[in-house]
Structures are given as structure tokens and as C-alpha cells.
Amino acid sequence: MHFDGSPDRQPAQASKFTRLRQMLTRPDLAFLMEAHNGLSARIVEEAGFEGIWASGLSMSATLGVRDNNELSWTQVLDMLEYMSDASSLPILVDGDTGYGNFNNFRRFVQKLCERGIAGVCIEDKIFPKTNSFLGENQPLADVDEFCGKIKAGKDTQTHPDFSVVARVEALIAGRGVDEALTRAHAYVDAGADAIVIHSKKSTADEIFDFCRQWENRAPVVLIPTKYYRTPTDRFRDANAAMVIWANHNLRSSIQAMRDTCARLKAQETLLEVEDTVAPLGDVFALAGAQELEQAEKRYLSTRDPARAVILAATRGKGLGDLTAERPKCMVPVRGQSLLGRQVEALGRHGVSDISVVVGYREDAVAVPGIRKVENPAHDSTGEARSLALALTQGEGDTIVSYGDILYRPFFLSLLEEAQADIVVLVDPRAETRADGQPLRDAVACSQPHDADLEATGEAVSLTRFVADGAEANGAFIGLMRANADGVSRIRETLAAMEGEGTLDTADLGAVLTRLAGEGERIGVVYVRGYWGNVNDLMDLAQARDAV
Ligand code: SPV
Ligand code: MG
């Protein structure tokens, strides 16, 4: 695929320049189909054509201007770039008269080569040109001046197979076959790779007369717009190299748009129109939507937005009267509940799917945007049961946190950036509390914290939760993340514990210790400070100071 979704180029396929040249020079009749923008270029390729005619008439008309060089040559270049990006086919561009003299033309050729446009056709008229089917006796360019232009183009091309096609307008100008032949020979002498002999008659007689006398000196290209009744085999018999269907995508789209406009104007409903227009799916497909979808899989993070589980079923007896009427997750810290602060931090991190396991005074848990999961046995069970209740659905990235902690929102980024399937945040400051209480959730890790490797998380793993602070490398702060694989490992472990009858009494530490013991790598990211838990009034006082 090209970056924009157009079909693959065959690795061994010749360049666009070479393919157009081969179409002109090989024995069988070749066809170019008109396109005028990226969409039509892609449709031409989809139809199986080998090459594109970038029609001046069509490019002008689609922009609502006349085929009188009202489009600048740089605007034409821009349109060609879209067409070339959208299609792998070689493009022969209608270069009108070359947009000026030899100098303007050679600059155009230089830019065409840079953009991989395979060839250019220029006509021997005067700038600004008029479409060949308008008016009579159009003035023709001086033969020598036109030959100089061809030479300048050939000298400028940067690919050997870039084609300069010279279009003879003598028949259009009513000058007859003899002048057409004279001009054609001069243009080939000047270096033209092929000749377009153009006619606006409704029969091809003068074209065939020209071809007979031309005797195949150089490839001849025909544009049978006006002599459309002539069977294509007669062009073969006349030894034509190429036929251009010059404006038929433009004209068919005009017809289709008119039909649709008329229907809608009259009927004021889409009902009758829907089945007469291309399905929307076609529009997306033609623009290469599928390629973007694949690229997104390759280049964008495939993680679904994480969900969160907050374990908040307990009262928090250590807080005394403060939790008489509410669980500790609803205790306010500087005017906002612990749970409210967590939901806000998660929201800032893009986590909006938040399950809160509630139990004690669940009626008092009132924070917008959460889903409550009730643990009816909150009095007699611990964190493992609450977790099992909340992890019943969805296997995606999940953040698990205690309901009684405060932390800085950037902790969530640390968890997200860590590579392990399960990651825990550990504060390495494992000193025992001033009041002599044991450290909550002391953990032993594969390596102690190293201030030089701050918060790496990559190399350090959890070994186990320990009862004795002396063995600890730090304390689990009550915040962790598991990706889809990690969640399914946790769920397996919870199920096994349920089977063994140990789930109800287990805390989160027991679950993680068991996982680590079974060889599951639980990544550790060390964080020093910027968090707090609220187990009792002393914690609360500290937490109030911390925020
Ligand atoms: C065009 O398609 O712009 C052409 C061909 O130049 S014709 O309109 O037949 O002149
Ligand atoms: Mg034209």
C-alpha cells in the first residue's frame, strides 16, 4: 500500500515513466482514461486501466473555470500530485501549450519529473489557449518556436523515459493533412516521443488519411471524442499507438450529479436517491480508509482506555467518629472526599470507567461518575473478595487502588509507562511509623531502591509482601495497574483462592504474593512521597498537610 491506501506497486514493476513509454511504443493499442483529481485517478486504476490522461479541460471544469489557461501551471501541478499519490498508474498530463515559451515549459517538465508524472503533451497553439472544440481557425504556433519548446523539454527531463508528446492542431485549425504531416515530422525531428493528431470532425477520415501518410514514423495518439462512432479496431488497423478517452469521467460525473440534484430538489427525501448513489463505504474505501486502520494498529497505542477498580468497602475504624456515618473513602480532606479526589485524578488521566467496591454505609458513597459494586460481606471479608467482585467483567487495562489513599495524578502515568503486565507503586521509605505501628503493606523487592535509577520499574520486581518491616524494601502504596494479561492472571488466582476457601480472608498483598510466588513478574516502580493513606487520625492529619 501507498501511505494513502492506493494499491501496492509491484516491487519489480517498471517506473511510471517507463510504463508510459512502453505503452506508446509497444505494438498493441494502449488506452489512457481521463482523470482530474485523486478520486477519479483511483477509479481509473480500479477499473483496470494502465494509464491516466490528466485532462486540462477536466481539471479546469472540476474547479469551475474555463479551459483557457485560467488554471495556473502550479495549480495543475498540485492536482497532479494528488492524482499521482492516489494511483500507481503513469500519468500523461495535458500541458496545453507549455504555459508560455520554452523557458516556462522546461520548468514545468522539471517539476513533473520531480513528482513522478510520466509524460506531458503540449499542443502547437498560442498561450493562452482555447479548447480545440471551441471556435474556428485557432491560431497555431510557429513551427520553429514549437520545436524549440520540445527540445527544451527533452533536454530538461531527468528520467530517460519521460515522454514529451507533441500535439498537432493543424486539423483543428482547418489547415489540412499536409500541414499536419509537415508539423508532425518537424516535432519528431525536434525530439518528440509521440504525436497526437487531433480532429474535431465527427468521422475519422482525416485522421486515417494522416496515419496512412505518416507511415508509422513515430507513435500516434488519438483522441476520438468527436468521432466516437468509429470502431476501435479501425484505430488498430491504422497503427495508432494509443487512444485517449479524454473527458468521460468528467462528463459522467456531471450527469450523475445533475440526476441526483434533480431528484432531491423535486422529492425532498433521500429515499429514492440512496440506492442510486455510491455507498458511503465506497467513499471511505476509495480514500484508503482501510490502510489508515491498519496503520493505526501499527503506530498508535493499542491499549484501550484503562478502567479503574477502587476498593472502598471498609469503614476505617481508626478514624473514630469521622466514619460513623460514612466509609473512610468519603472522609473529606480539605473539602473533598478521598474518593472524589481519586475520581478526579483518574478522570484527568482519561479513565472514566470506575468501579468502586462499596460496603459499609454504601448509601453515603456519593461521587458522580462511578459504578458501585457492592460487597455485602464487607464486614467479614477483605480486599481479595472485593477485587473478585469488581473484576468479573472486562479484561482490559485496569488500575486498582485502595479507597483510602491520596496520590498525585502523575502516578497514573508512571503505571501506564511501566512495561510489566502487573505493576505496583512502592515507596522505598520503609521506616516504621513514629507511633510504632507496623508499616502497612511492607514489601520485599528484587532490588532495593536506587536513587540513581529513580522510578525505573523495568528491572525491579515484587518478591512478596512481608509482615516484618525489617525485611522490607518499601511499602506498597495501594495503587497498581494490570493490563489484559495481568488481569486474567489475577482473576485466575482469585478463582484458585476461592476454590481453596482462602479468598474471603485474603488481602491484596496475599494475592500479589501468591502471583509473584508462582513466577508472575510484578513490576515495581519506586515513588518517594507525594502520596498518603488515611488509616487513622494521624494519617489524616498528615494527608491534610500533604494536599
Ligand atoms: C483535454 O482533455 O483537455 C484535451 C483534449 O486537451 S480536448 O478537450 O479534446 O482538446
Ligand atoms: Mg486540453
Side-chain angles (χ1 to χ4, degrees), residues 53 55-57 67 94 96 123 129 131 167:
W53 168 248
S55 156
L57 172 65
D67 188 16
D94 175 1
D96 289 343
E123 60 200 55
K129 50 76 55 103
N131 184 274
R167 168 163 151 183

Side-chain angles (χ1 to χ4, degrees), residues 36-78:
H36 47 267
N37 56 22
L39 175 69
S40 52
R42 193 160 288 167
I43 288 172
V44 169
E45 180 158 6
E46 188 185 64
F49 281 99
E50 278 183 280
I52 290 170
W53 168 248
S55 156
L57 172 65
S58 299
M59 289 189 284
S60 305
T62 51
L63 293 181
V65 300
R66 289 165 287 220
D67 188 16
N68 291 69
N69 292 123
E70 291 185 348
L71 275 190
S72 74
W73 68 272
T74 55
Q75 288 170 323
V76 171
L77 266 185
D78 287 345

